[in-house]
């Protein structure tokens, strides 16, 4: 039976999806792969990944599952003549559903282990935070792995070791190899706490080896067919990121960045309750310690992003939920429970701000949507999409008009016949004012300016003291003489 608090997880996930329907460059492979599986099926030569291969290959297993789940609704939407962008909502909804079901499974396991009160506060706390619910429907490799990790955590709490091994193996071998640093210590903690027998451990090792062989064979066979060469996608990602350490080309952060920045933003103001929760319920420490160890070990890689440690957010929230539950039980003896209430209100305020900025953080998607509203669907439009536009929201799902030509060729010269064959250009706004740019004024007319998030401004004398800066991000240019 699904309870109202569990349904609220799905509801809030959908709200995030509706407010921020576009995707960014990190999500490009998976969203394009899902599109191609649904619309090109076995015509692999039409797939986006063969033209735009990306830095490292990724697995098609996740997109295959989401495509299978989405296919009936996608077919129905096509029969109802809904535009293709509606299908992007569908596939992201199904991804969000898979992760949400994994999280519901985890909360139920928490309820069994820690009590229904902790389960309820875990859900409430998670709903008030931004990043976990926001990422639920985002087609990132980390999110595909997150679904498996949530089910694995549920198995761990239920002491289902064999299931834990297979789920963990799938998340590590297919999606994110670094999860070994999180799930292996967690597994050993559980085994030690239950005072294992060596014969039992030997059986689990045998299961681990069998799972490794079968899962590795699965991803190699399936992905080699799609990529048209023999490969293990996550193996190449591991070599690129760990051995070659080339991920640092995308920026670096200080060693402790995950602790003072990523976790603080992800857990919001309720972050302060983590140590208190570990104090009032010692059982939470067996979840927290492997999570902290994972983050410390992973911090040795200089390139850091919040999504890389998203698997630990629900774990830390168990400690926060234990603290909130304790404060609630003591509400008649102390007004300290009001402190927890204020923290949850602070979470909601922070989430509202994050959601507002995120809505304005996909100017590429908004630009193509705007162009579709500006021009007639039957016109022979040829639009060139520059790199910035493609990376900030444009996917094959957003290319809704079959009469138009959408081109993402890179490194085209700004003037000359190559660029002039297009009727419209989507270009990153390099100047705040188009009139200051002389390059395209003789050949193109500014049709529209798309604004996007440009940072935050702190003004102590105003209320609220924090405001969002919105600046021009993309120009929509129309070739002179085209009508």
């Amino acid at each position: 039976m699904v309870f109202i608090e569990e349904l609220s997880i799905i509801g809030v996930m959908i709200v995030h999806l509706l407010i921020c329907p576009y995707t960014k460059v990190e999500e490009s492979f998976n969203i394009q792969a899902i599109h191609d599986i649904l619309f090109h099926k076995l015509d692999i030569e039409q797939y986006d990944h063969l033209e735009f291969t990306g830095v490292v290959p990724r697995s098609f297993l996740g997109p295959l599952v989401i495509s299978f789940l989405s296919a009936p609704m996608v077919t129905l939407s096509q029969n109802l003549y809904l535009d293709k962008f509606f299908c992007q909502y569908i596939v992201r909804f199904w991804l969000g559903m898979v992760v949400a079901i994994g999280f519901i499974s985890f909360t139920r396991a928490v309820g069994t282990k820690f009590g229904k009160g902790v389960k309820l506060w875990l859900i409430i706390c998670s709903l008030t935070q931004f990043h976990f619910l926001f990422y639920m429907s985002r087609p990132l490799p980390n999110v595909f792995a997150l679904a498996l990790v949530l089910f694995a955590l549920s198995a761990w709490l239920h002491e289902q070791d064999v299931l834990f091994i297979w789920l963990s193996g799938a998340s590590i071998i297919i999606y994110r190899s670094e999860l070994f640093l999180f799930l292996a210590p967690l597994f050993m903690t559980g085994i030690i706490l239950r005072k294992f027998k060596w014969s039992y451990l030997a059986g689990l090792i045998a299961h681990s080896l069998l799972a490794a062989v079968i899962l590795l064979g699965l991803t190699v066979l399936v992905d080699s067919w799609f990529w048209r060469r023999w490969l293990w996608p996550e193996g190449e990602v591991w070599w690129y990121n760990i051995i070659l350490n080339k991920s640092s080309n995308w920026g670096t952060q200080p060693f402790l960045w995950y602790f003072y920045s990523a976790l603080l933003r992800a857990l919001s103001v309720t972050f302060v309750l983590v140590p208190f929760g570990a104090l009032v319920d010692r059982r939470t420490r067996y979840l927290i310690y492997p999570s902290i160890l994972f983050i410390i070990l992973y911090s040795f890689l200089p390139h850091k992003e919040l999504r890389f440690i998203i698997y630990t957010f629900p774990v830390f929230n168990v400690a926060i939920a234990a603290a909130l539950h304790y404060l609630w039980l003591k509400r008649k003896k102390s007004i300290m429970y009001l402190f927890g209430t204020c923290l949850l209100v602070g979470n909601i305020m922070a989430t509202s701000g994050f959601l507002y900025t995120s809505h304005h953080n996909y100017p590429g998607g908004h630009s193509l949507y705007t162009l579709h509203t500006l021009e007639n669907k039957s016109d022979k439009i040829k639009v060139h999409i520059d790199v910035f536009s493609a990376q900030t929201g444009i996917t094959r799902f957003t290319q809704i008009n079959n009469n138009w030509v959408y081109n993402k060729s890179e490194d085209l010269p700004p003037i000359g016949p190559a660029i002039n064959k297009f009727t419209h250009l989507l270009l990153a706004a390099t100047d705040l004012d188009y009139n200051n740019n002389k390059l395209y004024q003789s050949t193109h007319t500014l049709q529209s300016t798309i604004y996007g998030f440009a940072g935050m401004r702190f003004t102590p004398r105003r209320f609220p003291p924090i405001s969002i800066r919105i600046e021009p991000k993309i120009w929509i240019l129309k070739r002179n003489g085209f009508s």
Side-chain angles (χ1 to χ4, degrees):
M1 182 177 178
V2 179
F3 298 98
I4 186 67
E5 65 268 17
E6 295 174 341
L7 288 174
S8 65
I9 296 169
I10 299 172
V12 174
M13 176 272 292
I14 293 174
V15 169
H16 283 279
L17 166 59
L18 294 176
I19 294 176
C20 302
Y22 299 108
T23 60
K24 278 199 171 181
V25 60
E26 298 89 350
E27 306 157 74
S28 177
F29 168 77
N30 284 311
I31 196 69
Q32 306 287 43
I34 294 170
H35 169 278
D36 293 341
I37 292 169
L38 287 169
F39 289 95
H40 296 308
K41 298 179 174 60
L42 297 178
D43 189 4
I44 304 297
E45 301 306 319
Q46 297 296 319
Y47 277 42
D48 183 84
H49 74 287
L50 296 180
E51 182 178 0
F52 302 97
T53 57
V55 178
V56 288
R58 293 292 184 181
S59 176
F60 271 86
L61 289 172
L64 280 168
V65 172
I66 299 304
S67 299
F68 175 78
L69 295 172
S70 306
M73 292 179 65
V74 168
T75 301
L76 178 61
S77 70
Q78 296 295 97
N79 291 335
L80 294 174
Y81 299 102
L82 300 175
D83 69 52
K84 195 164 59 172
F85 183 53
F86 187 77
C87 298
Q88 182 161 304
Y89 285 96
I90 294 173
V91 300
R92 285 193 53 198
F93 164 78
W94 277 109
L95 174 58
M97 280 294 293
V98 172
V99 180
I101 292 171
F103 182 59
I104 290 171
S105 174
F106 174 66
T107 62
R108 290 182 176 183
V110 168
T112 302
K113 193 79 170 181
F114 296 91
K116 293 182 178 179
V118 176
K119 171 195 171 184
L120 178 60
W121 284 109
L122 171 61
I123 293 174
I124 292 173
C125 175
S126 300
L127 291 176
T128 64
Q129 296 166 347
F130 172 73
H131 290 87
F132 185 71
L133 272 295
F134 174 77
Y135 275 108
M136 262 190 187
S137 67
R138 309 214 71 85
L140 292 157
N142 310 83
V143 175
F144 284 97
L146 175 63
L148 291 168
V149 170
L150 289 168
F151 284 113
L153 290 172
S154 303
W156 187 85
L157 289 171
H158 285 306
E159 300 182 5
Q160 298 171 329
D161 295 327
V162 173
L163 180 59
F164 177 86
I165 286 171
W166 281 85
L167 291 168
S168 300
S171 65
I172 293 167
I173 293 172
I174 299 173
Y175 295 114
R176 302 297 304 190
S177 58
E178 72 272 7
L179 278 169
F180 179 82
L181 301 175
F182 175 44
L183 296 171
L186 188 68
F187 174 70
M188 291 308 301
T189 299
I191 294 296
I192 293 171
L193 287 173
R194 283 182 267 127
K195 299 178 180 179
F196 68 93
K197 295 181 178 179
W198 287 108
S199 59
Y200 180 68
L201 182 59
L204 294 181
I205 293 173
H207 270 286
S208 301
L209 295 174
L210 179 63
V213 171
I214 292 177
L215 292 168
L216 181 61
L218 177 64
T219 182
V220 168
L221 288 175
V222 172
D223 291 311
S224 295
W225 187 81
F226 277 101
W227 284 96
R228 292 300 192 244
R229 63 182 176 90
W230 286 104
L231 82 166
W232 170 30
E234 188 53 29
E236 294 196 15
V237 173
W238 175 81
W239 183 266
Y240 183 90
N241 288 334
I242 306 300
I243 303 302
L244 300 181
N245 194 25
K246 287 191 175 182
S247 62
S248 58
N249 294 338
W250 279 262
T252 61
Q253 297 290 350
F255 185 85
L256 295 176
W257 181 84
Y258 283 127
F259 291 98
Y260 70 76
S261 179
L263 281 177
L264 186 59
R265 284 179 288 136
L267 304 181
S268 200
V269 292
T270 44
F271 175 79
V272 299
L273 291 178
V274 172
F276 183 59
L279 181 65
V280 299
D281 193 333
R282 295 185 177 182
R283 295 172 298 174
T284 62
R285 300 177 188 179
Y286 302 118
L287 283 167
I288 292 173
Y289 291 159
S291 301
I292 293 175
L293 176 62
F294 164 66
I295 295 174
I296 290 174
L297 293 174
Y298 204 42
S299 294
F300 282 97
L301 278 181
H303 178 61
K304 299 176 177 65
E305 294 186 37
L306 181 145
R307 61 188 172 95
F308 292 166
I309 61 166
I310 192 172
Y311 329 100
T312 66
F313 300 166
V315 171
F316 285 114
N317 276 340
V318 174
I320 295 172
L324 290 170
H325 180 58
Y326 177 85
L327 293 174
W328 178 252
L329 292 178
K330 301 294 183 181
R331 67 187 183 279
K332 293 183 179 180
K333 298 181 180 180
S334 171
I335 62 171
M336 278 300 294
Y337 80 94
L338 292 175
F339 175 66
T341 303
C342 291
L343 292 179
L344 291 174
V345 172
N347 278 5
I348 295 172
M349 294 176 63
T351 294
S352 300
F354 279 128
L355 197 54
Y356 177 81
T357 57
S358 295
H359 174 74
H360 291 86
N361 213 18
Y362 301 86
H366 291 294
S367 67
L368 193 55
Y369 171 82
T370 301
L371 180 59
H372 285 128
T373 64
L374 292 175
E375 296 293 350
N376 195 311
K377 293 182 179 180
S378 60
D379 289 344
K380 299 297 182 182
I381 302 295
K382 295 182 179 180
V383 54
H384 179 258
I385 302 165
D386 78 345
V387 173
F388 178 75
S389 302
Q391 291 179 342
T392 56
I394 293 178
T395 68
R396 289 192 170 190
F397 282 110
T398 62
Q399 300 171 10
I400 62 176
N401 197 324
N402 292 329
N403 294 321
W404 291 16
V405 174
Y406 304 89
N407 182 278
K408 296 190 299 181
S409 299
E410 300 179 13
D411 300 323
L412 293 183
I415 56 175
I419 200 73
N420 286 334
K421 69 179 182 180
F422 298 103
T423 61
H424 294 76
L425 308 177
L426 303 183
L427 297 178
T430 54
D431 299 292
L432 295 180
D433 184 0
Y434 176 72
N435 294 324
N436 293 332
N437 187 289
K438 307 299 182 182
L439 194 58
Y440 295 97
Q441 287 187 3
S442 61
T443 56
H444 293 79
T445 301
L446 179 64
Q447 196 171 15
S448 183
T449 300
I450 305 301
Y451 290 78
F453 174 70
M456 304 181 72
R457 182 185 293 110
F458 181 70
T459 311
R461 296 181 181 180
R462 294 181 56 185
F463 183 82
I466 298 177
S467 58
I468 307 298
R469 290 192 297 112
I470 303 295
E471 293 181 354
K473 290 294 182 179
I474 293 176
W475 293 325
I476 301 178
L477 304 184
K478 185 175 183 178
R479 191 181 65 205
N480 294 339
F482 178 80
S483 60

